[in-house]
Amino acid sequence: GGTYPGGRLFSFDPATGQTADLGQVNAGETYLRSLAIDDDYVYAGSQPNAKLARYDRHTGEVTDIPIPIAGQGTTYDMTLAGGYLFVRVEPINSLIVYDTSDLSVVNTVPKVTGRVISQADPSGKSVWFRLNNGVDPVGIYRYDLETHTHSSLGFNPNAFPGAWMWYEDPDQETWPGMTAIMTYYNGRIYTWNETKRKGLYFGEADLEST
């Protein structure tokens, strides 16, 4: 986890109930705004100066990771997938793609809107996000982890992604394969089945108890 106003990284072990203060990994920052974690490292993004660092879970070593776009305020919405770290920075809303093997920048995608970049899809070959760059059609795009290109899915929910998952519906005749599910913060749920190229919408009223 991360704290405000100290901008500190901490860990909690549910087996022992012990909490450990791991320090301020982004020097001088008040918000530890976003985290992405694997077996070896914690990637930590902060605010108000959009810093990024990697914390080694075995040694405690901290490595600063440069942000290639100057003048940003927040390092946000980080996802690890396929050996890459995806980081959205605000206010420019560009998505920076890092190779985790050497922390080099392999791509930058402008105008990624909304919030969460998905985990790898069921194929393991791509992640999904929402794009609104003023040039391409607004909507959800697939980012290819091998070619580092992105393409429209033809799916344009009227909301920003808040969370992603894939679901195997029992009704495989109507919804074959895996169906993507996207949530929005106020309770909206959108689904998209690529094979059928259609989905469902559940609004706040659909989810309220009776």
Side-chain angles (χ1 to χ4, degrees):
T3 72
Y4 166 84
R8 304 183 75 82
L9 178 69
F10 69 88
S11 65
F12 172 75
D13 186 341
T16 65
Q18 296 297 307
T19 300
D21 181 350
L22 305 177
Q24 190 182 62
V25 294
N26 293 305
E29 295 287 86
T30 53
Y31 286 87
L32 194 57
R33 177 59 81 177
S34 55
L35 299 173
I37 303 167
D38 62 21
D39 290 340
D40 297 314
Y41 300 107
V42 177
Y43 296 87
S46 64
Q47 185 182 332
N49 298 297
K51 293 184 180 181
L52 179 62
R54 186 182 71 181
Y55 174 87
D56 189 311
R57 297 179 62 181
H58 307 290
T59 67
E61 179 184 6
V62 175
T63 302
D64 293 329
I65 305 174
I67 300 289
I69 306 171
Q72 300 309 297
T74 307
T75 310
Y76 229 152
D77 302 330
M78 299 197 297
T79 296
L80 286 164
Y84 299 98
L85 175 67
F86 294 82
V87 179
R88 185 174 66 86
V89 291
E90 293 181 343
I92 199 171
N93 287 326
S94 285
L95 182 66
I96 306 168
V97 185
Y98 293 90
D99 186 328
T100 58
S101 67
D102 59 8
L103 302 181
S104 63
V105 175
V106 297
N107 200 7
T108 301
V109 181
K111 300 300 181 184
V112 172
T113 56
R115 293 290 308 276
V116 176
I117 295 88
S118 79
Q119 299 292 329
D121 68 8
S123 75
K125 297 180 179 180
S126 63
V127 297
W128 293 19
F129 51 71
R130 187 176 188 273
L131 190 68
N132 185 8
N133 61 11
V135 177
D136 297 311
V138 177
I140 305 301
Y141 280 70
R142 174 192 288 110
Y143 183 95
D144 190 299
L145 295 170
E146 295 181 356
T147 65
H148 296 285
T149 58
H150 55 277
S151 57
S152 174
L153 289 165
F155 170 39
N156 184 19
N158 62 337
F160 297 149
W164 288 100
M165 67 171 289
W166 277 265
Y167 172 67
E168 186 175 8
D169 197 290
D171 182 0
Q172 283 291 292
E173 182 175 348
T174 306
W175 307 105
M178 302 294 284
T179 296
I181 299 176
M182 187 197 95
T183 66
Y184 184 59
Y185 306 104
N186 61 358
R188 301 180 200 167
I189 296 175
Y190 303 79
T191 75
W192 180 253
N193 186 276
E194 283 197 84
T195 302
K196 292 292 188 177
R197 297 192 62 78
K198 66 177 183 179
L200 298 172
Y201 168 71
F202 303 92
E204 295 93 322
D206 299 312
L207 302 174
E208 292 176 354
S209 62
T210 57

